[in-house]
Amino acid sequence: MRLPLKQRSVTTWVVIPSAIVIVTLAVLQYRWSARVSEATAVRLADSLQMSLMNWQKDFFRYFSEIALALRIDPVDDRSGDLNQYVRRIAEWKALARYPELISNVYILKSGTRDALRLNSSTGRFEAEVWPERFEPLRANMQTAGVAFLKRPPVVDIGDPSGSWKFEPSLPAMLHAIPRNGSTPDWIVIELNDPEIRTHVLHDLSQTYFQGTDGLDYLIAVVSKSTPGHVIYTSDKGFGDPEPADADGVIDVFGRPYDNALGSPVHVFHMPSNEKGPAAGVRISWFPLLRNEASSLDWRLVVRHRRGGALGAFVTELRRRDLAIGFGVLLVLAINMGMLIVTSHRAQRLAQLQMNFVTAVSHELRTPLTVIISGADNIRNGVVGTQQQMTQYGSLIAKQARQLFGLVERILLFASTRQGRQTYNLKPVQVKDVIDVALASTAGLIEAGEFKVECDIEPNLPPVNADAALLSQCLQNLITNALKYGKDQRWLGIRASLSSGSYQEIQISVSDRGIGISATDLPHIFEPFYRSPSVMAAQISGTGLGLPLSQSIAEGMKGRLTVESTLGRGSTFTLTLSCAEAAAPATTADQQVTA
Ligand code: ADP
């Protein structure tokens, strides 16, 4: 059935713009998601960079606090007064977040192997032999001590010879104690290694890399000079070996930006650059702890927990966002498609119903005209004799029965479609029902001068059916064969046992008439459908016969099928189960509601 021009143009005006809008949205969504993920990557990288720097700054602060508390004067010679250091260390301890951070305080005498160690219980420096573990420091101290002697009287704060040095291998903080005219002594603050690992590094990681569900990152502090030496790790196994796909790396003891070495902080930056760290930052460090070559030794390395580099995480986020976005658009497109199909169907149904009303009106008009004119003739005395009166009576009765039949069919159709029709299923002899159907249509067969070929297999078992409805169904098929049988005037009826494995009987009604086109075939069982060629040829009908027959067949647990060739004829086959085969299933409820 072709759609009216108006509806087609509405479909065009709605479908095409909607499709364009959806495609545009999809493209925009794709582009925006690229930008958003780039922005997310930058944001994540910035926040990671901030975390790394704050982590480092706090770490650094704990040692700077010691350096500040001790206040070793770079100019005056006060090496004789060691009590000031005892007092200052006690002050530091009272305020420090990690009072256990200092494990020993030594004064190393320059040029000798003499040393003084602070006895924490007596609060005094006591003489001791230079500890063996400080041996590697000796040469460096000597050089630095000589440099210290050569320094100008006022030392600027950035002067390497006048500042604290950090020795990560012990670990310890060192500072020269000036002595007039001779190489300086050294104060060595030996740090508590387990305290650094288990408390300081652990707490810092929790502070700066904690997510909603535990640590967001895998964190390790590794030694750069000794591969495989992991100072701290948040997760066992991470850091050895140092991961190549880390999201952020920072030299713990800091060094300023260096053109040759680049930035001390590296953070993953762009999603397009997933290979690893990309961005560098210029930072300068608080100069209380000077940067030695060895200060490059400790490195903080972090990697996002969500599988591999942060870039992959951002890509995954983007993929997820795109999937959600496209999913929504797909649902929108499907809804739009369904809306179009539904409205198309509704329009089509409305058109079919209109055709039905017209067809029914036509069907009603002929008998009504006959009845009205017959009644007029009787009233006007045109009918004189008793014989004429009998003729008029039977004519009016015939037309009224035809009207009654039409109304009955419409009501039956309505009740089968609404599922209200009850089926009185019981064993029925096929031959008997065919005879009844042929007898009911005998008038039409005779009027059309049809040749009827009836081939009923002998000894067929009874079928499980409602006799009256089965007969109605066959009458519909026979009436159609007569209506659409054209000039061939041939009607074939066959009944045989089905060749399939089930105990079924097939009853077929055939004609050699106009046949049904391939485009009409899928629609002929739809309510109110009539093929355009039939309507054009003004063959009477309502479009209810086949859907009604199909509903009846299905109500009796059977089926109705069709084979047809345009111009050659059609065969409608009704398949029903035999009463014996169906008996066990239907004895319980003989009354089946369709
Ligand atoms: P109608 O009252 O129009 O016959 P039906 O529901 O019985 O309604 O049939 C629907 C349509 O199927 C018919 O309009 C016709 O186009 C087609 N059709 C049905 N039976 C035949 C047949 N035997 N030969 C050709 N076309 C048929």
Side-chain angles (χ1 to χ4, degrees):
M1 169 163 294
R2 285 178 69 78
L3 290 173
L5 194 63
K6 194 175 158 209
Q7 192 198 333
R8 262 185 288 155
S9 65
V10 167
T11 309
T12 313
W13 282 109
V14 172
V15 174
I16 294 175
S18 305
I20 291 173
V21 168
I22 287 179
V23 171
T24 314
L25 282 177
V27 172
L28 287 178
Q29 163 89 13
Y30 187 79
R31 289 220 185 126
W32 285 339
S33 79
R35 277 195 214 152
V36 167
S37 69
E38 199 141 321
T40 311
V42 171
R43 191 171 45 75
L44 281 172
D46 284 351
S47 119
L48 175 59
Q49 188 172 292
M50 255 354 254
S51 299
L52 285 172
M53 288 171 71
N54 284 330
W55 185 102
Q56 204 271 352
K57 214 169 71 198
D58 270 9
F59 180 77
F60 200 72
R61 186 159 54 84
Y62 300 132
F63 304 108
S64 300
E65 277 170 6
I66 299 173
L68 283 171
L70 284 171
R71 298 194 296 281
I72 295 170
D73 196 309
V75 179
D76 296 335
D77 178 5
R78 296 206 187 135
S79 56
D81 182 12
L82 293 179
N83 283 336
Q84 61 182 329
Y85 298 127
V86 178
R87 208 174 48 247
R88 287 170 188 173
I89 283 170
E91 281 167 12
W92 168 83
K93 235 180 179 142
L95 296 172
R97 173 155 183 199
Y98 298 101
E100 301 304 316
L101 193 56
I102 297 178
S103 60
N104 281 306
V105 181
Y106 283 92
I107 306 286
L108 302 181
K109 296 281 179 191
S110 170
T112 69
R113 286 189 170 275
D114 296 339
L116 295 171
R117 190 177 79 87
L118 178 64
N119 184 332
S120 53
S121 45
T122 59
R124 289 170 175 281
F125 278 98
E126 292 169 359
E128 239 187 47
V129 181
W130 181 300
E132 196 59 28
R133 59 185 181 282
F134 292 168
E135 206 52 42
L137 303 181
R138 183 184 286 277
N140 284 343
M141 280 179 169
Q142 196 62 37
T143 326
V146 172
F148 190 86
L149 274 182
K150 288 182 187 162
R151 70 182 164 74
V154 178
V155 179
D156 84 274
I157 203 155
D159 178 2
S161 59
S163 331
W164 283 90
K165 300 171 200 318
F166 193 88
E167 183 47 60
S169 62
L170 287 173
M173 291 166 62
L174 288 73
H175 195 288
I177 303 176
R179 286 194 311 160
N180 269 341
S182 56
T183 50
D185 291 341
W186 289 84
I187 184 164
V188 177
I189 309 289
E190 200 176 8
L191 299 164
N192 185 341
D193 198 27
E195 177 76 357
I196 294 177
R197 289 164 194 256
T198 52
H199 289 126
V200 179
L201 294 177
H202 172 81
D203 293 355
L204 282 173
S205 304
Q206 296 288 330
T207 308
Y208 290 108
F209 298 105
Q210 182 76 15
T212 45
D213 196 15
L215 288 174
D216 276 347
Y217 289 86
L218 300 168
I219 303 155
V221 176
V222 297
S223 164
K224 203 177 164 192
S225 62
T226 326
H229 179 214
V230 180
I231 293 119
Y232 164 79
T233 182
S234 62
D235 295 71
K236 208 162 181 293
F238 182 70
D240 180 23
E242 191 181 327
D245 58 349
D247 290 315
V249 177
I250 188 165
D251 290 332
V252 172
F253 294 107
R255 57 182 170 78
Y257 185 89
D258 182 296
N259 278 340
L261 292 169
S263 169
V265 188
H266 289 279
V267 186
F268 148 85
H269 207 233
M270 301 295 284
S272 50
N273 197 339
E274 282 170 27
K275 288 188 195 75
V281 190
R282 279 175 180 268
I283 38 175
S284 38
W285 303 105
F286 184 49
L288 259 182
L289 290 179
R290 287 306 304 186
N291 317 288
E292 303 291 313
S294 58
S295 74
L296 297 176
D297 196 48
W298 283 14
R299 230 153 60 151
L300 170 65
V301 183
V302 298
R303 200 181 70 193
H304 200 275
R305 269 180 200 281
R306 295 282 292 273
L310 201 58
F313 174 58
V314 173
T315 314
E316 185 199 312
L317 273 183
R318 184 183 178 208
R319 222 176 277 141
R320 199 197 59 194
D321 287 350
L322 274 181
I324 293 172
F326 284 150
V328 170
L329 286 180
L330 188 71
V331 170
L332 209 70
I334 291 172
N335 280 352
M336 199 182 78
M338 278 171 66
L339 207 71
I340 292 164
V341 169
T342 316
S343 78
H344 187 272
R345 280 204 187 140
Q347 294 269 1
R348 195 164 167 275
L349 193 67
Q351 186 64 39
L352 287 174
Q353 280 169 341
M354 216 46 228
N355 292 348
F356 168 73
V357 172
T358 315
V360 169
S361 309
H362 276 291
E363 294 279 299
L364 291 174
R365 197 153 61 182
T366 317
L368 280 177
T369 312
V370 174
I371 291 169
I372 290 167
S373 54
D376 281 348
N377 285 350
I378 293 169
R379 189 189 57 201
N380 297 335
V382 178
V383 182
T385 64
Q386 182 59 42
Q387 191 193 350
Q388 277 179 321
M389 189 65 104
T390 313
Q391 276 176 354
Y392 267 81
S394 51
L395 190 65
I396 289 172
K398 187 183 161 198
Q399 296 302 324
R401 262 199 299 279
Q402 207 169 314
L403 277 182
F404 185 73
L406 178 63
V407 173
E408 278 286 281
R409 259 211 317 281
I410 294 172
L411 288 176
L412 184 59
F413 171 77
S415 65
T416 56
R417 299 305 280 195
Q418 288 165 1
R420 284 188 288 108
Q421 182 60 38
T422 52
Y423 294 81
N424 185 16
L425 298 182
K426 53 185 170 202
V428 172
Q429 287 299 339
V430 174
K431 186 174 180 323
D432 296 347
V433 186
I434 292 174
D435 286 347
V436 171
L438 281 172
S440 308
T441 49
L444 288 173
I445 294 172
E446 219 171 284
E449 296 173 0
F450 268 73
K451 183 186 172 203
V452 180
E453 265 178 35
C454 209
D455 177 11
I456 299 169
E457 214 175 271
N459 303 325
L460 278 180
V463 288
N464 195 44
D466 181 314
L469 290 172
L470 175 57
S471 163
Q472 175 69 59
C473 178
L474 289 177
Q475 280 174 51
N476 288 347
L477 298 179
I478 292 170
T479 313
N480 278 355
L482 299 175
K483 271 199 298 187
Y484 307 116
K486 233 174 83 184
D487 308 329
Q488 298 298 322
R489 301 179 192 285
W490 179 86
L491 169 69
I493 297 181
R494 265 176 61 88
S496 61
L497 209 58
S498 161
S499 52
S501 56
Y502 294 107
Q503 283 280 292
E504 286 178 332
I505 286 179
Q506 292 185 323
I507 308 167
S508 59
V509 177
S510 309
D511 65 71
R512 293 172 184 163
I514 59 172
I516 304 165
S517 72
T519 47
D520 287 332
L521 261 182
H523 303 294
I524 58 171
F525 291 105
E526 290 172 12
F528 317 124
Y529 185 84
R530 307 202 68 219
S531 72
S533 60
V534 162
M535 293 215 289
Q538 296 196 326
I539 301 173
S540 68
T542 55
L544 290 185
L546 287 182
L548 175 59
S549 303
Q550 192 183 45
S551 296
I552 292 173
E554 286 169 0
M556 297 187 299
K557 306 261 160 68
R559 56 191 182 276
L560 179 62
T561 52
V562 61
E563 274 174 40
S564 184
T565 312
L566 195 61
R568 304 275 299 272
S570 316
T571 297
F572 286 85
T573 306
L574 183 62
T575 308
L576 295 169
S577 46
C578 294
E580 283 88 347
T586 52
T587 41
D589 61 337
Q590 288 276 290
Q591 291 277 46
V592 178
T593 304

